[in-house]
Amino acid sequence: LIANRGEIACRVAATARRMGIRTVAVYSDADAGSKHVAVCDEAVWIGPAAAKESYLRGEKIIEVAKATGAQAIHPGYGFLSENAEFAEACEKAGLVFIGPPGSSMRAMGSKSAAKQLMEGAKVPLVPGYHGDNQEPEFLRQQADGIGYPVLLKASAGGGGKGMRVVERSEDFVAALGSCKREAISSFGDDKVLVEKYLQRPRHIEIQVFADKLGNCVYLHERDCSVQRRHQKVLEEAPAPGMPADRRAAMGEAAVNAARAVGYVGAGTVEFIANQDGSFYFMEMNTRLQVEHPVTEMITGTDLVEWQLRVAFGEPLPKKQHELGIHGHAIEARIYAENPEKGFLPSIGTLRHMDTPDAVNFELGGVAGVEPAAVRIDSGVREGDAISPFYDPMIAKLIVWGTDRTQALARLSQALADFQIVGLATNIAFLKRLVDGEAFSTADLDTGLIERNGATLFPPSKAAPAGALALAAVALIEGEKRLSAGASANAADPWGQAQGWRLNGDYRRVLSFGDEHAAGLPGGAYQVGVVYHPQGWELDVNGVKQPLTVSGHAGATLSVRLGEQSMHGAVRRDGDLFHVFSNGEHHMLAYNDPMAHAGELEAAGGRLTAPMPGKVVAVLVEAGQEVKKGDPLVIMEAMKMEHTIAAPSSGLVEEVLYAVGDQV
Ligand code: ADP
Ligand code: ADP
Ligand code: MG
């Protein structure tokens, strides 16, 4: 039974199928038609969409496992994967939990306790205090002794939450208070630890694996330094610039850490490293990690297969000296989010998803055979929705190359080929990140994204003439096709959209908008189209050029504008034209002169939620005067607060929603 959803559930099912193991999926209301349900042999409904009422219901999941005759439970990551009580309840019910014993999870579950344990196992630690004394004044003295800046961390924390950087002794007590408040509300435990805050550190983690027979190996490192809000964005293996002796030292430290807690299965020991290479234990994640594929690709292993074998008592498939490193792999997490708006998650339907050609990936590549150049792990298909209930990950794009340079080139290319229509994604941002100087020269540290904000978030540019031409061609070709389909008689001149006119040529102006165009005269790009008997002429930005369409297959267009040849795909989503060309994605809103007549008045007093969520505050009441831009309602969705402001000045007539309402 796979006690998870999405990408990781599909990933586990793929290996199980290859090994001839039957799989049972569980699903919530939101996932009834989802990919993970389709790829498993059997699927059982476990509750409503909210994770608390479905994927986090341990007893229900165990009940389903027993009813379906499952022998083992794979928890994936997130949800119940690091829940010691759940692991123990599985064992008690006679089910094999595919993961470490509950005792190992408990030992590593508290960052403070884990550090105490690691101290005993001679694993290097970041200088800091991780004891029980939580007196503010005492902790401040500890911080003074460590030297500023220091980092306060919730001992029970995770997912980048519950951390505060403190720059000066004077600020310590206030920061401690706010850190403890976040810790208690997010993790139900306000214990914190204090650490030296390293400058320009790298996040380097070691994949470890242990079996039930006392063997434990490391499968080398992953560099996950490229982060936003302390969460990983790009991950690669091996870590650039890692000397063999340090790799061995970190690997052995990680194995010691795992042995110290009686570890079994797949685990990751996270280290924070200085630029000079010195490294310190940070925490251990007692599960399979999101970024595990990069390790699989450089070591030629299938870590899920290893997990299944180990869970059933087999020895590790390989010994330490048999685990080499072959080539270089990089993973990019493709998220439904808006990097320009503080990485705000975006939800909606994947109207169109074209992924780069995945060069067939055989899980657990055969020795001597090169791994795939491109691998895509995804839990969604075209037409599926990214809902507000779960993690907004769309896919993981993993590339392999004989060296980092080749892997980088493949990643850049694959990102250019990734076409998604229907919701905002981080693809363009990832491409800038991957092509940028800092990442391509491996000048890595956890502040890379912040430091390179200027190049990673360039001001919006005017749509290039080529993109406008492609959009215009898609539009007029579309009209031609429509009219050809609509008219019963193909020769009927009244039913055609060829632009034929009795006297002289027909000229029309197409108007497209985007955020940049808002500043242009007329607030839009104007593309003039002249229909000559011998073909079209296009007028983009005042330059008139003949236009010929040399190829048109599905959404893919090849056109020639004057001297310039252009190639790209145009996907239409309502009035929005998505132009994918030159590795760029331009969204052009067609201002259809007919479509929106009369809509303006209706828009008057309407407020729109940026995404489904809960109203957490109503700031106005009936009868109140408001000015344009005044905050009216605050809602919470996907762990973030969104303020709904007045679209115009006026009087509040009635408030239709109250705190707690789902909108
Ligand atoms: P990692 O260390 O691998 O980045 P974190 O420790 O940040 O992982 O968080 C735990 C993992 O659980 C994350 O990778 C997160 O994406 C994953 N996760 C969280 N929510 C979900 C979900 N709804 N479905 C699947 N995975 C999830
Ligand atoms: P989480 O459980 O949220 O994953 P971690 O302890 O693994 O928490 O830390 C998450 C991230 O915070 C790290 O990957 C790193 O970027 C940053 N970080 C953690 N500890 C330090 C430190 N002592 N100095 C600088 N950055 C740190
Ligand atoms: Mg971590």
Side-chain angles (χ1 to χ4, degrees):
L1 183 141
I2 303 170
N4 213 298
R5 61 177 300 283
E7 168 269 324
I8 184 60
C10 297
R11 165 70 190 86
V12 172
T15 290
R17 174 160 297 253
R18 191 174 51 74
M19 294 173 72
I21 295 170
R22 274 179 62 79
T23 48
V24 179
V26 290
Y27 65 93
S28 71
D29 282 341
D31 284 335
S34 73
K35 181 175 169 189
H36 85 273
V37 167
V39 299
C40 289
D41 295 299
E42 203 176 320
V44 181
W45 175 83
I46 48 168
K52 236 184 257 166
E53 298 172 62
S54 50
Y55 298 105
L56 288 171
R57 285 179 67 191
E59 307 111 84
K60 174 75 187 169
I61 289 171
I62 289 173
E63 205 178 282
V64 171
K66 294 179 80 169
T68 52
Q71 293 162 287
I73 295 191
H74 194 301
Y77 39 68
F79 300 131
L80 294 166
S81 62
E82 293 181 275
N83 185 313
E85 287 72 47
F86 179 67
E88 282 160 359
C90 288
E91 302 291 341
K92 214 179 265 160
L95 296 156
V96 175
F97 177 80
I98 302 172
S103 57
S104 309
M105 287 188 202
R106 264 191 211 102
M108 289 295 183
S110 149
K111 290 188 207 278
S112 308
K115 287 184 81 175
Q116 270 161 36
L117 252 168
M118 290 307 110
E119 215 162 22
K122 303 264 173 297
V123 177
L125 298 181
V126 188
Y129 175 77
H130 45 262
D132 291 329
N133 191 337
Q134 297 286 304
E135 271 308 305
E137 206 34 50
F138 172 82
L139 289 174
R140 191 171 64 86
Q141 280 162 17
Q142 294 296 316
D144 292 349
I146 296 163
Y148 293 88
V150 297
L151 183 63
L152 285 169
K153 264 188 206 178
S155 180
K161 279 179 106 182
M163 295 199 279
R164 292 286 183 286
V165 180
V166 190
E167 304 281 352
R168 307 175 310 170
S169 186
E170 302 89 281
D171 304 337
F172 186 87
V173 174
L176 178 69
S178 114
C179 185
K180 281 190 174 282
R181 276 194 300 279
E182 183 170 320
I184 196 93
S185 80
S186 301
F187 311 108
D189 175 355
D190 71 353
K191 188 169 183 188
V192 299
L193 57 89
V194 192
E195 274 182 7
K196 174 102 198 135
Y197 186 62
L198 302 188
Q199 298 298 315
R200 300 204 55 186
R202 282 168 71 176
H203 173 120
I204 298 180
E205 57 185 36
I206 305 284
Q207 175 72 54
V208 294
F209 232 107
D211 62 22
K212 294 178 179 172
L213 310 167
N215 304 301
C216 185
V217 299
Y218 58 89
L219 290 95
H220 312 298
E221 78 282 3
R222 294 183 285 256
D223 190 314
C224 314
S225 299
V226 184
Q227 304 182 343
R228 53 140 174 91
R229 281 197 241 111
H230 303 297
Q231 285 191 304
K232 299 156 188 168
V233 176
L234 294 173
E235 300 109 338
E236 62 184 308
M242 173 73 80
D245 57 339
R246 194 181 312 136
R247 170 173 297 131
M250 291 182 87
E252 278 153 26
V255 166
N256 287 342
R259 286 198 188 280
V261 296
Y263 204 76
V264 173
T268 294
V269 180
E270 296 189 332
F271 293 99
I272 188 113
N274 278 310
Q275 293 289 331
D276 68 8
S278 50
F279 60 89
Y280 309 102
F281 172 85
M282 201 159 43
E283 64 163 343
M284 180 169 186
N285 292 327
T286 53
R287 54 175 161 86
L288 193 68
Q289 202 98 336
V290 176
E291 56 273 21
H292 75 275
V294 293
T295 300
E296 295 184 321
M297 291 182 94
I298 62 157
T299 57
T301 51
D302 176 340
L303 294 180
V304 174
E305 177 181 341
W306 281 40
Q307 284 190 298
L308 295 172
R309 293 196 182 284
V310 162
F312 286 92
E314 290 185 26
L316 292 176
K318 283 186 179 174
K319 302 210 157 43
Q320 189 66 58
H321 68 88
E322 294 171 306
L323 286 161
I325 294 181
H326 181 45
H328 198 96
I330 313 177
E331 174 180 286
R333 299 191 189 189
I334 313 260
Y335 276 107
E337 67 181 14
N338 208 322
E340 282 73 25
K341 294 187 186 147
F343 297 96
L344 182 72
S346 126
I347 55 159
T349 301
L350 284 159
R351 295 199 177 281
H352 172 77
M353 176 159 81
D354 214 11
T355 55
D357 294 330
V359 185
N360 215 5
F361 177 72
E362 285 292 324
L363 285 170
V366 189
V369 175
E370 288 213 337
V374 177
R375 162 176 169 186
I376 292 154
D377 283 15
S378 176
V380 289
R381 302 155 298 191
E382 193 169 290
D384 286 347
I386 300 290
S387 75
F389 302 107
Y390 316 110
D391 193 89
M393 186 155 74
I394 298 170
K396 302 190 302 200
L397 169 62
I398 310 111
V399 296
W400 179 90
T402 50
D403 55 20
R404 189 172 193 266
T405 309
Q406 191 185 43
L408 262 175
R410 284 177 169 169
L411 181 54
S412 176
Q413 233 163 25
L415 284 167
D417 291 344
F418 223 115
Q419 303 178 357
I420 288 178
V421 170
L423 25 77
T425 75
N426 62 345
I427 295 173
F429 168 79
L430 288 171
K431 186 155 178 359
R432 287 193 292 271
L433 191 56
V434 166
D435 293 344
E437 163 99 18
F439 188 70
S440 50
T441 59
D443 180 16
L444 304 171
D445 70 273
T446 57
L448 187 146
I449 290 180
E450 267 176 28
R451 205 174 43 257
N452 292 285
T455 45
L456 294 175
F457 301 100
S460 76
K461 276 191 320 210
L468 290 167
L470 287 167
V473 171
L475 185 105
I476 47 195
E477 287 274 319
E479 288 175 349
K480 241 167 64 182
R481 249 194 330 252
L482 252 177
S483 67
S487 166
N489 176 2
D492 174 3
W494 307 113
Q496 301 207 351
Q498 311 280 21
W500 182 82
R501 292 293 184 277
L502 197 54
N503 339 289
D505 296 330
Y506 170 44
R507 185 174 197 285
R508 67 195 277 209
V509 177
L510 304 177
S511 159
F512 291 99
D514 66 11
E515 55 192 272
H516 179 87
L520 297 177
Y525 304 105
Q526 311 286 348
V527 182
V529 188
V530 186
Y531 293 69
H532 292 303
Q534 66 277 16
W536 289 317
E537 196 178 53
L538 220 57
D539 175 351
V540 185
N541 304 331
V543 186
K544 262 191 209 141
Q545 287 172 309
L547 174 87
T548 43
V549 178
S550 50
H552 190 175
T556 310
L557 282 170
S558 298
V559 304
R560 223 181 131 79
L561 183 63
E563 303 281 279
Q564 204 195 338
S565 289
M566 283 159 313
H567 184 75
V570 183
R571 309 267 170 193
R572 187 170 179 171
D573 181 16
D575 281 342
L576 208 52
F577 283 69
H578 294 259
V579 182
F580 297 92
S581 175
N582 270 332
E584 292 172 11
H585 176 186
H586 299 279
M587 270 172 280
L588 296 165
Y590 174 50
N591 300 316
D592 187 340
M594 314 300 258
H596 298 287
E599 262 179 30
L600 229 50
E601 300 95 294
R606 181 193 289 177
L607 303 176
T608 308
M611 62 177 69
K614 201 166 74 183
V615 174
V616 293
V618 176
L619 308 173
V620 293
E621 50 193 40
Q624 192 174 329
E625 290 272 359
V626 295
K627 284 200 295 296
K628 183 175 177 179
D630 282 352
L632 304 178
V633 172
I634 297 179
M635 46 180 291
E636 187 188 77
M638 299 185 99
K639 301 179 196 139
M640 294 180 87
E641 284 191 355
H642 308 272
T643 303
I644 318 295
S648 58
S649 302
L651 183 77
V652 177
E653 270 177 14
E654 194 182 350
V655 178
L656 302 167
Y657 292 90
V659 170
D661 281 352
Q662 192 75 22
V663 295

